[in-house]
Amino acid sequence: MTSFLLKNKVWVKIASDGLLWILLTIPAFWLRLEGAIFSYLPEILMIMGVMAPSKFASIYFFGHYRRSWQYCSVRDLLSLLVSVSAVTVIYFVYA
């Protein structure tokens, strides 16, 4: 198991981040809406079903896990801006 984790660090990071995004969506809405989440359940499910795969695709295709953020440059910042913009457009199309 340890050798699998060492060989596939990027996929382990993506899977753990994705699991956290999906699991923490409901508590985030619960905190934001002060417990009244049942009237917003369709929107929450849409975010969980559409936005999580969009985030995965954005992070993978723009290579955010392959970058060293300690030494980021303007090019890296522009890549992050394009990635966030792409996910935002997807969100507005489905919202």
Side-chain angles (χ1 to χ4, degrees), residues 2 9 14 19 40 49 52 57 59 61-63 75 77 92 94:
T2 305
K9 287 181 183 179
I14 291 173
L19 185 63
Y40 294 96
I59 286 173
F61 288 118
F62 288 100
R75 180 183 296 159
L77 191 61
F92 280 120
Y94 284 99

Side-chain angles (χ1 to χ4, degrees), residues 26 28 38:
I26 292 175
F38 296 108

Side-chain angles (χ1 to χ4, degrees), residues 57-68:
S58 173
I59 286 173
Y60 178 76
F61 288 118
F62 288 100
H64 293 299
Y65 282 119
R66 293 187 301 264
R67 299 185 191 277
S68 174

